[in-house]
Amino acid sequence: MTDRALYVPGTASGAQVRKDGEKWTLILVRELRHAPERVWQALTDPVHLREWAPFEVDGSLGTVGATVKLTWVSTANVSQTRVTRADASSVLEYGDLRWELEPLDNGTRLSLWHNIDRRFVAWGAAGWHICFDVLERLLAGDPISRIAGSDAMKFAGWQRLVAEYARQFGVEPPKWSPPAAQKS
């Protein structure tokens, strides 16, 4: 396993926001060097999700109608969520998340659509950015373990990444300061 203390997120990229009044949708796109089938497994299997996602689930997300408990990292927020769409290796929807997988010659274009409170859209983009980095490393066989929630906020580069996304979206970042950043 690579030393995760050396991880620093890259620059903000691949994100946009769709605004409909108070309802905002964060859209993040990342090209992964792995087949849609491998990416699908990482999106639906609870064991894989524990390695990279900002939440844990108590069952597979790969079947329409499945109801699972979803627990966001660093919170006591546990909710029941129901899978409303699960087109294997193509589209996955549950709760306020929609995943789209598009095959590419050299892998998969992964798009995440996340309905999010506009006050936290820059944090959401930064958090998902880091989760996508961790996912890419996991799929490449070079895992660094999950970096999410308050743990992500401790990483060098977190505040920079939030500020970059806030500028891109034309919003102010939340006024809360995370715990001290890790030394890198």
Side-chain angles (χ1 to χ4, degrees):
M1 184 180 291
T2 302
D3 184 0
R4 71 188 239 152
L6 300 176
Y7 167 76
V8 177
T11 59
S13 64
Q16 62 177 295
V17 175
R18 297 245 171 104
K19 303 171 187 177
D20 183 13
E22 291 299 307
K23 181 181 175 187
W24 285 30
T25 302
L26 171 65
I27 304 163
L28 285 153
V29 178
R30 181 75 63 99
E31 291 189 5
L32 303 171
R33 299 176 311 239
H34 311 283
E37 296 76 20
R38 283 199 62 212
V39 176
W40 179 260
Q41 184 177 20
L43 295 176
T44 58
D45 184 296
V47 173
H48 286 90
L49 288 164
R50 266 192 297 276
E51 296 296 318
W52 71 272
F55 54 79
E56 292 189 14
V57 292
D58 69 348
S60 173
L61 294 169
T63 306
V64 171
T67 301
V68 298
K69 288 182 185 171
L70 189 141
T71 307
W72 291 91
V73 173
S74 302
T75 73
N77 183 6
V78 177
S79 60
Q80 292 278 9
T81 193
R82 187 173 158 275
V83 178
T84 54
R85 187 165 175 190
D87 301 337
S89 302
S90 178
V91 179
L92 177 64
E93 292 181 3
Y94 53 91
D96 58 4
L97 302 173
R98 174 184 172 92
W99 301 90
E100 296 177 356
L101 292 78
E102 180 184 341
L104 301 172
D105 288 340
N106 60 345
T108 303
R109 177 176 294 119
L110 177 63
S111 300
L112 167 64
W113 300 63
H114 185 177
N115 297 328
I116 191 166
D117 185 315
R118 66 181 180 81
R119 296 171 299 166
F120 301 103
V121 72
W123 273 5
W128 282 114
H129 177 116
I130 291 170
C131 287
F132 280 16
D133 286 352
V134 173
L135 172 61
E136 176 66 33
R137 301 278 290 270
L138 174 68
L139 292 171
D142 187 23
I144 58 175
S145 75
R146 176 170 43 205
I147 303 172
S150 60
D151 194 27
M153 295 176 182
K154 296 175 189 174
F155 267 79
W158 167 260
Q159 289 180 331
R160 171 195 50 80
L161 194 58
V162 170
E164 289 174 1
Y165 279 118
R167 274 191 304 278
Q168 285 183 20
F169 303 151
V171 299
E172 288 291 320
K175 298 291 185 215
W176 181 81
S177 296
Q182 273 188 332
K183 304 274 190 238
S184 53

